[in-house]
Amino acid sequence: MSKASATAKQAKVVAPKEGSILDRGYTPYQGRYTPEASRWQVIASRMLRMSARQWWAILIMVATVIPLLVSAVQMWIMSKLFAMAPPGVAVTSPDTYMMLPWGTMTLAFLIALFAGAGQVADDTRAGAFQFYFARPVTRDQYLVGKVMPVVVMTMFIALLPALLLSLLRLALLPSGAEVVKKLPLVGATIIIGTVEALVLAIPRWRSRRCRGGARTCRAATRSCICCRGSSAPSFPR
Amino acid sequence: MTAATLLEFSDVHKRYGAHHALRGLSLSVPAGTVGLLGPNGAGKSTLMKVLLGLLPFDGTAAVLGHDVRAQPSQIRARVGYMPERDCHLVGMSAVELCGYAAELSGLPPSEAMQRAHMVLEFVGLGDKRYQRIDGYSTGQKQRVKLAQALVHDPKLLLLDEPTNGLDPQGRDEMLTLVKSLPARTGCSIVLSSHLLHDVEKVCERAILLHEGKIVYSGTIEALRKEGQKDVYELRVKDGEDRLQKALEQKGLRVEREGLMLVVQLHNNVLRAHNIDDARPTDLLFAVAAAEDVQVRHLAPRRLTLENAFVRAVNEAKAS
């Protein structure tokens, strides 16, 4: 028998069966562990990444960016070619309030609705509470981790375009002294944008009376996860 | 509690409304492979959730030396849990899920991803790791569940019905893998199942649960021995009824299993008939000879785990 055919035969003998469980080695973990308090960040960043892949998220992001670009170009043309002051540059001007959350209210509402509504409901349906709470993750960390992506995404829609437009308005002002004078515009934008984002994001997590009795749940889940210690089951069976 | 104690619980009660799921369980279990046996509804899954601190309960319990109520995080960081029901997250691939599980258990992102790849290779899903779990077969989903429980290198694995929904070949592979885990990973295992074969194949010790109570705790070998002590199987040529009646008249407990007579020889009965304890079967031969019945087969009873389980449950019911 030739050497090549012997090798081929040996390979045939040891070839693993498709789909069978095989020992491909196991190495004990000896590395470091992250602080327990940071687990909400893991949940939040994962949720953010998962949401950002969805078609509706991409669509809403695009719908947010296009009007921003159009508005910015329009403002630049008006300022450079026709020497007109950018609209809404005065904090007290009604234009400011019209322009700050410029057309983003509906989009921010939609993203809060899409991103927020299914987060906990999906976990309930998939039995994922067992996945989360069998690990060193507290209920508070879970809830913060689920709320934060909705807040971040809503702020991206409600705050970021308004902030960029405000900065552009300041940039188009003729003198530095005038820019300093108009700086409160940025603060007003941040406050209004943040309030708008929170108003839209937080109601996704409305309170609901707990099945356990007097306490109040912070998540609108079918199975109450906030009543540990009471007589009611705190964990979906 | 010693360092080698895996689980320790005392007077643990758990109620779901009017249903009393766990009724005053008290036990200390050493490290190793432990089978949690019982019919559906016996309280196995509830006990596992209690040990993880996922359910409120009455009594005290400790896992790996940590109090379940006071230190649930320390326990969960050292324990891997494979739930009975699906627990995958919608839209994730196996490698994403395992990486996420590792990060939630405290591993930094890069290490978490490395471990996710390693454990998926380890359970035989290396080539399917980038597929979405929604499209997996039942067997593949079971393996993903095992992988996510193993990914953070736990000291104790709680496996809740790991062979659920698997075909015979898949079940065999899963059990072979689970059996090899303690030697290869250094972890202890608590395996919950209503399938005695699964526990028999994997575990050294067993805890039998019935209606929320422990009916046996100890090694599987001892359970078998306890059940078969002084019990003999007897097959004769005709005259089974006659012989059974005669043996019962002598004060022996006799049960019929088809043509087989199962006889329990008590020491006090042997002594009453002046039979040497070292030769207990002499009494059977003497009775058979007196009844003119030909003995075809006489042997000590070899109990299967099924028999032992049924016996333990019946004894618990009787008491």
Side-chain angles (χ1 to χ4, degrees), chain A residues 191-236:
Chain A
I191 291 167
I192 292 175
T194 307
V195 168
E196 183 191 326
L198 293 176
V199 163
L200 289 169
I202 298 298
R204 304 292 106 221
W205 303 88
R206 69 188 186 278
S207 291
R208 180 186 176 183
R209 192 160 175 78
C210 168
R211 285 194 296 166
R215 298 188 198 182
T216 301
C217 292
R218 281 157 290 178
T221 60
R222 278 184 68 79
S223 302
C224 170
I225 56 167
C226 301
C227 54
R228 278 185 62 179
S230 73
S231 60
S234 64
F235 191 76

Side-chain angles (χ1 to χ4, degrees), chain A residues 17 19 22-27 29 32-34 36 39 53 126 128 130 132-133 135 228 235 237, chain B residues 16 53-54 73 76 83 85-86 88-89 96 100 104-106 108 115 121-122 143 148 153 169 184:
Chain A
K17 207 164 153 187
L22 294 165
D23 181 3
R24 292 191 174 94
Y26 183 93
T27 320
Y29 181 68
R32 66 183 181 88
Y33 288 87
T34 55
E36 218 175 286
R39 301 294 149 80
R53 284 188 207 164
Q130 305 187 71
Y132 283 106
F133 298 121
R135 301 174 195 288
R228 278 185 62 179
F235 191 76
R237 275 183 286 162
Chain B
Y16 294 111
L54 298 175
S73 288
R76 290 176 204 161
R85 286 176 52 198
D86 280 351
H88 59 269
L89 305 181
E96 281 174 323
Y100 187 36
L104 286 174
S105 296
R115 296 263 328 159
E121 283 283 347
F122 183 68
R143 292 179 203 200
Q148 62 83 29
D153 193 24
Q169 192 193 341
R184 283 145 60 183

Side-chain angles (χ1 to χ4, degrees), chain A residues 89-112:
Chain A
V89 77
V91 178
T92 50
S93 153
D95 273 353
T96 303
Y97 300 104
M98 291 290 287
M99 296 288 289
L100 282 174
W102 193 88
T104 56
M105 185 67 96
T106 311
L107 294 172
F109 171 75
L110 284 177
I111 203 129

Side-chain angles (χ1 to χ4, degrees), chain A residues 3 15 40 45 52 63 69 105 117 139 150 155-156 169-170 198 207 222:
Chain A
K3 197 176 174 183
W40 69 268
S45 68
L69 290 176
M105 185 67 96
R139 286 162 296 139
V150 187
M155 284 183 90
F156 182 86
R169 281 178 193 131
L170 295 184
L198 293 176
S207 291
R222 278 184 68 79

Side-chain angles (χ1 to χ4, degrees), chain A residues 23 26, chain B residues 33 122 177-189:
Chain A
D23 181 3
Y26 183 93
Chain B
T33 48
F122 183 68
L177 178 69
V178 170
K179 190 179 179 182
S180 67
L181 285 174
R184 283 145 60 183
T185 67
C187 68
S188 291
I189 291 178

Side-chain angles (χ1 to χ4, degrees), chain B residues 214-231:
Chain B
I214 294 174
V215 294
Y216 175 82
S217 169
T219 63
I220 291 177
E221 202 47 48
L223 175 65
R224 281 213 200 90
K225 277 184 184 159
E226 193 177 291
Q228 72 193 32
K229 197 179 169 191
D230 299 330
V231 180

